[in-house]
Every structure is written in C-alpha cells, then in structure tokens.
C-alpha cells in the first residue's frame, strides 16, 4: 500500500469538509492594540523572491553586455561581428546565472554576506569558463577564440558581479531595516511551543521573517499575554480581521502535528486568507523525509497552504490584465460610446453606476458599470436582487444587462488594478439570498477573495451568472470560483477569456 505523506494530510478538501465544533466561528472586531499594530503593516513589501529574481536578470545582462563591450573594445565596433563570439558570451553568461542559482548564491542569506560568498561566486564563474572552453575544444573551435579577450572578460565580469553584490547587500540590509523587504508572519497558538518557535526563528542570523504578533483562543492563564517579547493580539477569529488590515505574508501554526483535530479547527477558519500557512515542525517528535519540509533558516516547516497567484505569477497576471484591458478598451470603445449616448437619451442620470463590492482579501472596492436602472430606484447595496421584468430597469438597461454590455466599463477597473480580467466575480457587500448574506449561506465563502475578483470568471462561463435566487446557486458559484483559484494558470485565464463571448450568447439567466 502506498504511504501517504503526512505533510499533505491537511488538504483543502479536508479543511473545507471538516465539521468544526459548534461555536468555533466568532467573528468580531479587533482590539485597539491589535488595530494599532495592524496599521503599521498596511504598506506592501518587496518580495525576497522577486528581488532575487530581478537580480538574476540584471546579472545576466551585466555579464553579457560586459562581454560584448570587451569584444568591441578589442575588434572595434564597426568591424565584422563574428557570430560565435556573442553566442559564446551569451551561453557563458546564462550558464553562470544558472550555476549561481543552483549553488544558492541568490538566497537572501547569501546576498547579505557577499564577502563570505565571494569564493563560491569565483568558483561558479571559473567553472562557467571551464565548461565553455571544454565545449569549444570538443567541437574543435577553441582556436577561433582570443584568450586575451576572454581573460579580460573573466576579470571584468567577476569585478562587476562582485561590485553589484556589495551594493545589493547594503540595499537589502537597508530594506530589511526599514521594513520594505520582509516576510511578515503571525504566530497561531501561544505558550511554550510559540516561545520555542520564536527563539528558533530569531536565532537565524539572516532570515527575512518579521514576527508581527501572536493569536490564540486560549485565555491568559493557559496562554500568556506576552510570549518571547511579542504580544498576544487576540483570538483566531480576530486574526482574520487583523490580516485584512495588515499586509501579512505567512501564518505559522505552533501546534504539534499530533493535535490534528485542533489544527483542522484552526485551518477551518484560516484557509480563507490569501497567505502562506505553515505548520511549525521544529519540536515535532515525528520526523518526515527532508523534502517534506520548507525552512526558515534551519527551522523546519510543513507547508499547509500557499498563497495563490504569488510573486512572478502575480506579475504575469498583472501584465496580462494591462495588455488585454487596453485591447478591450480599444476594441469596444465604439460600443461603449454608443451605450453612453443611449443611456443619456433614455433616462435622466449619470452614464456610469459605481457600486461598492468585495475585492481582494475582502477589501471594499468601487466597480464601474453602465447605469441600467432609473436613478431614483437604484440599489447600490444590492440587497434586492434584480429579477425578470424588474420595473427598476430602464429600456436600455434591459438590453445592456442581457448582453453584458453594462459590464464593459470594468475594463478600466482591470486596467487600474482593482479588478483582474479573469477571477471570481465581485459581489456587492450586502448581497443576500433569502435575507441571508452570502457568507452566511456558504461555508468558506470569503475564500473567493484570496485573489482579485474578475470581469469574467469560470463560474460565469459555466452558466452561473445572473440572479442568485436560491442558496444552491450561490453555493455552486462559490464552488466554481474556488476551483478556479486552486487550479489557476495563464492558460486557464486565456481559455476563460476567449470562451466568455461565446458563452454570453446564452442570455437565459441575464436580466
């Protein structure tokens, strides 16, 4: 029988289907101290992964351009450019960056100690040249290359990379000191286990973790208000509100893996947040294979959940949104202009309707739509769902709602960044089903907000659009939204985007 990796036992389905004890949900505001601490962390930080990723590209460009510079210095800029030189320079530069990555020279700890890691950089750079020379010898082209030229490039490239790393070490230390580059973590669970975890993390000399506080459901007798110098800021339910004010990157659960029911109870509340969730394994008696762990310095962690669409994925998705939003605005500008004129001629009031909706991480955003209702009968809170033949809807409004033309201004939302082109559709903040808010109908509803909401989405192209007049409809829409979040890829976004116009031809549920 195949062994089940214990590090994977807390799957998303297991957490969602876990029947938490009654009374485990106690939503509420946070105390003044927690709110004051959260306000200190409102600003986004630079991701260490992004910083090291950009450095890879900069070092490749630096090595390649320095090699070309040396070549042009020796042979002249206007002389014949032999193709094998730029090719060899590019290949060597690329190989050097790959080897620097393999030898962990782009880890933050290594970047903060350039002198200590100079020997490793020198060895990688020399190894890249040795492999280039070996390749040239094997294909019998080594006689075509100038030893003086490549010797000069070797020295120049080494000096440039070393100088860049000295500058980067100072910048990274400054960014870490100013709180501009760090991973912000909250400890879930207090007492001795949390104290041991904090001490272990703080012992790591060059980690990028900033512990922002502790949250624990237990009272002060079982869980002290101050642990290793960090305050207990509230309960687990209050942590959710805290994480929606502060920009938190990681939750570290300091409970033993053997307390599975307690861990599941916590994750039942926490999985809706767009953060990495890690289970501390530093004091666990159970030992797994090394590859089952991730590490903060040398402190082992079990990865429970990862923040969706993070780091370079978020850069790619943002670029996707900007490019296709601009294309959409240009292509549909005649339709939008004609719609604006028709709305003005049909009824009094503004052309655009702004509605407050839930955005990423439950933030309140303003979404633009063409006005489809009479101004004096509009419902900005969306407490009353629009129904078939609704008297509040204008003549032009019926047409633009049925054809989804009323949604076209949301291309500007996507361009400005409050929406994404593809994602879970944003719901109005007071949207209800049978006098119940959507989050009261669907367990884990706010997990839809782990990513930016979208102009179109997986639920919409599968028929779950229009009036949400039954609890089952909102449950199914949420299921499709969660499927999208858990299976996101750029190809998935492209598929949804190109299927949207086809699926919008079915107007059965749109009114």
């Amino acid at each position: 029988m195949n062994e089940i990796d214990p590090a994977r036992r807390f799957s998303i389905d297991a957490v969602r289907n876990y029947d938490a004890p009654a009374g485990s949900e106690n939503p509420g505001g946070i105390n003044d101290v927690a709110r004051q601490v959260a306000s200190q962390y409102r600003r986004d930080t630079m991701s260490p992964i992004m910083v090291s990723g950009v450095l890879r590209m900069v070092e490749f460009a630096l090595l390649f351009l320095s090699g070309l510079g040396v070549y042009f210095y020796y042979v002249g800029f206007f002389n014949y450019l032999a193709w094998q030189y730029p090719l060899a320079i590019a290949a060597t530069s690329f190989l050097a960056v790959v080897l620097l990555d393999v030898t962990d020279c782009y880890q933050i700890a290594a970047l903060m100690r350039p002198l200590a890691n100079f020997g490793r950089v020198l060895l990688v750079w020399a190894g890249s040249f040795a492999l280039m020379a070996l390749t040239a010898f094997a294909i019998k082209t080594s006689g075509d290359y100038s030893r003086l030229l490549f010797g000069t490039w070797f020295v120049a490239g080494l000096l440039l990379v070393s100088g860049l790393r000295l500058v980067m070490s100072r910048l990274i230390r400054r960014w870490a000191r100013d709180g501009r580059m760090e991973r912000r973590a909250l400890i879930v669970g207090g007492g001795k286990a949390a104290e041991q975890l904090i001490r272990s993390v703080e012992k790591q000399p060059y980690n990028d973790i900033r512990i922002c506080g502790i949250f624990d459901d237990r009272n002060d007798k079982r869980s002290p208000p101050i642990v290793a110098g960090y305050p207990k800021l509230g309960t687990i339910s209050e942590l959710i509100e805290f994480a929606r004010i502060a920009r938190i990157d990681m939750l570290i659960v300091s409970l033993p893996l053997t307390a599975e029911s307690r861990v599941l109870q916590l994750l039942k509340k926490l999985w809706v947040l767009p953060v990495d969730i890690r289970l501390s394994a530093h004091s666990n008696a159970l030992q797994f294979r090394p590859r089952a762990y991730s590490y903060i310095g040398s402190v082992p962690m079990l990865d429970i959940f990862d923040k969706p669409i993070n780091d370079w994925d978020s850069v790619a998705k943002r670029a996707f949104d900007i490019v296709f939003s601009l294309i959409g605005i240009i292509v549909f500008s005649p339709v939008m202009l004609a719609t604006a004129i028709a709305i003005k001629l049909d009824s009094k009031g503004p052309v655009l309707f702004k509605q407050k909706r839930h955005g990423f991480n439950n933030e309140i955003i303003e979404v633009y739509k063409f006005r489809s209702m009479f101004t004096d009968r509009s419902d900005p809170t969306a407490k009353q769902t629009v129904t078939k033949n609704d008297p509040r809807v204008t003549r032009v409004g019926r047409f633009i709602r049925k054809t989804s033309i009323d949604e076209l201004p949301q291309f500007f939302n996507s361009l400005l960044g409050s929406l994404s082109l593809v994602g879970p559709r944003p719901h109005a903040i007071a949207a209800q089903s049978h006098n119940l808010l959507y989050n009261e109908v669907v367990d884990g509803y706010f997990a839809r907000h782990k990513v930016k909401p979208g102009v179109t989405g997986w639920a919409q192209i599968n028929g779950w659009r229009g009036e949400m007049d039954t609890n089952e409809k909102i449950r199914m829409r949420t299921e499709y939204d969660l499927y999208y979040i858990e299976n996101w890829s750029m190809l998935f976004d492209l598929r949804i985007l190109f299927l949207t116009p086809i699926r919008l031809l079915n107007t059965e549920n749109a009114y």
Side-chain angles (χ1 to χ4, degrees):
M1 186 173 70
N2 293 332
E3 180 186 0
I4 298 174
D5 188 346
R8 298 294 178 192
R9 69 172 69 188
F10 299 110
S11 68
I12 290 178
D13 287 338
V15 170
R16 288 171 60 190
N17 295 328
Y18 177 69
D19 188 13
S24 64
E25 294 291 342
N26 295 305
I30 58 177
N31 60 63
D32 291 339
V33 174
R35 190 172 297 278
Q36 185 178 357
V37 172
S39 66
Q40 298 174 14
Y41 300 111
R42 281 183 179 273
R43 189 176 64 176
D44 278 322
T45 61
M46 293 184 292
S47 163
I49 292 175
M50 297 288 289
V51 170
S52 62
V54 170
L55 183 60
R56 288 172 174 85
M57 292 186 284
V58 171
E59 287 193 338
F60 170 78
L62 200 62
L63 292 172
F64 178 65
L65 293 176
S66 65
L68 284 183
V70 170
Y71 174 77
F72 288 131
Y73 176 78
Y74 277 105
V75 304
F77 189 80
F78 296 104
N79 290 346
Y80 174 70
L81 181 64
W83 64 268
Q84 66 266 28
Y85 272 97
L87 183 62
I89 290 168
T92 306
S93 302
F94 179 76
L95 179 61
V97 171
V98 170
L99 292 177
L100 285 170
D101 190 20
V102 169
T103 54
D104 293 332
C105 289
Y106 290 109
Q107 297 295 319
I108 294 299
L111 295 176
M112 292 178 74
R113 305 172 64 208
L115 296 179
N117 288 275
F118 176 77
R120 209 185 322 176
V121 174
L122 175 61
L123 186 62
V124 164
W125 189 223
S128 301
F129 270 74
L131 286 172
M132 180 193 67
L134 186 62
T135 302
F137 175 79
I139 61 177
K140 299 181 179 180
T141 60
S142 57
D144 297 337
Y145 295 105
S146 165
R147 276 67 172 168
L148 177 62
L149 188 155
F150 278 97
T152 305
W153 181 39
F154 178 86
V155 175
L158 182 62
L159 290 175
L160 286 171
V161 169
S162 299
L164 175 62
R165 285 175 172 254
L166 283 170
V167 172
M168 282 301 300
S169 70
R170 294 180 66 87
L171 285 175
I172 289 172
R173 289 174 188 273
R174 183 189 302 170
W175 292 336
R177 185 173 62 251
D178 297 343
R180 295 174 60 190
M181 193 191 81
E182 60 189 6
R183 286 185 294 167
R184 294 169 180 164
L186 294 174
I187 306 297
V188 181
K192 286 291 183 183
E195 183 177 1
Q196 291 174 8
L197 169 63
I198 292 169
R199 300 295 187 204
S200 299
V201 170
E202 288 183 334
K203 281 180 184 177
Q204 311 306 312
Y206 297 104
N207 79 73
D208 56 337
I209 296 293
R210 179 187 291 266
I211 297 172
C212 302
I214 299 168
F215 286 83
D216 196 350
D217 279 340
R218 296 174 296 179
N219 59 35
D220 289 350
K221 289 183 178 179
R222 299 181 60 198
S223 176
I226 302 291
V227 177
Y230 293 92
K232 187 173 72 173
L233 298 175
T235 64
I236 306 304
S237 295
E238 291 167 339
L239 182 156
I240 296 173
E241 179 68 21
F242 182 95
R244 285 176 175 151
I245 299 173
R247 297 295 188 182
I248 298 299
D249 301 296
M250 181 185 301
L251 304 180
I252 304 176
V253 180
S254 65
L255 293 175
L257 188 62
T258 49
E260 183 166 313
S261 60
R262 175 62 176 148
V263 173
L264 278 167
Q265 184 180 340
L266 291 175
L267 296 179
K268 182 75 171 178
K269 298 180 181 181
L270 301 176
W271 76 285
V272 301
L273 294 172
V275 297
D276 295 332
I277 299 181
R278 303 289 182 254
L279 181 61
S280 169
H282 76 287
S283 60
N284 259 317
L286 293 172
Q287 297 295 317
F288 304 136
R289 296 183 298 275
R291 66 182 182 182
Y293 297 108
S294 62
Y295 291 87
I296 296 175
S298 60
V299 180
M301 302 281 170
L302 291 172
D303 297 352
I304 306 300
F305 295 124
D306 290 324
K307 179 180 179 179
I309 316 182
N310 199 19
D311 294 322
W312 288 107
D313 286 340
S314 66
V315 173
K317 189 165 175 63
R318 183 69 187 122
F320 177 96
D321 289 342
I322 292 172
V323 170
F324 282 95
S325 294
L326 287 171
I327 292 172
I329 290 168
I330 294 169
V331 170
F332 290 105
S333 56
V335 178
M336 288 193 276
L337 180 60
T339 303
I341 294 171
I343 291 170
K344 269 298 184 185
L345 293 174
D346 184 51
S347 62
K348 294 180 180 180
V351 169
L352 291 180
F353 174 70
K354 299 177 183 179
Q355 188 176 59
K356 294 189 183 298
R357 299 191 177 189
H358 284 300
F360 172 71
N361 201 19
N362 227 36
E363 293 174 347
I364 305 301
I365 60 173
E366 272 196 339
V367 172
Y368 306 139
K369 297 181 71 173
F370 281 123
R371 181 175 59 83
S372 59
M373 292 184 179
F374 293 102
T375 304
D376 58 346
R377 303 184 196 176
S378 64
D379 179 18
T381 63
K383 281 188 176 181
Q384 184 181 346
T385 306
V386 177
T387 57
K388 195 170 185 178
N389 300 319
D390 197 313
R392 298 174 297 165
V393 179
T394 65
R395 288 177 300 169
V396 171
R398 286 194 181 90
F399 176 75
I400 64 176
R401 290 179 74 92
K402 206 162 190 66
T403 56
S404 293
I405 290 174
D406 64 323
E407 309 282 359
L408 290 180
Q410 289 168 31
F411 278 120
F412 291 97
N413 279 111
S414 177
L415 183 63
L416 296 173
S418 57
L419 292 183
S420 181
L421 266 183
V422 182
R425 286 289 293 145
H427 294 156
I429 56 177
Q432 296 183 355
S433 173
H434 295 92
N435 296 320
L436 290 175
L437 295 172
Y438 286 169
N439 63 294
E440 296 173 320
V441 175
V442 182
D443 189 25
Y445 168 81
F446 285 126
R448 301 173 72 254
H449 304 150
K450 292 167 77 170
V451 300
K452 277 185 187 179
V455 177
T456 183
W458 183 235
Q460 281 61 44
I461 69 166
N462 281 280
W464 299 103
R465 59 188 286 250
E467 184 184 3
M468 293 288 105
D469 55 349
T470 67
N471 291 350
E472 180 62 18
K473 285 184 179 179
I474 187 58
R475 286 194 187 97
M476 289 305 300
R477 181 180 283 191
T478 302
E479 284 299 319
Y480 275 89
D481 289 338
L482 295 180
Y483 177 88
Y484 166 79
I485 293 170
E486 293 161 15
N487 295 277
W488 176 85
S489 70
M490 290 298 295
L491 287 176
F492 198 9
D493 271 5
L494 278 171
R495 178 186 173 190
I496 292 170
L497 193 61
F498 288 115
L499 281 175
T500 296
I502 299 170
R503 300 299 170 85
L504 287 180
L505 295 175
N506 178 8
T507 61
E508 182 182 350
N509 295 324
Y511 35 82

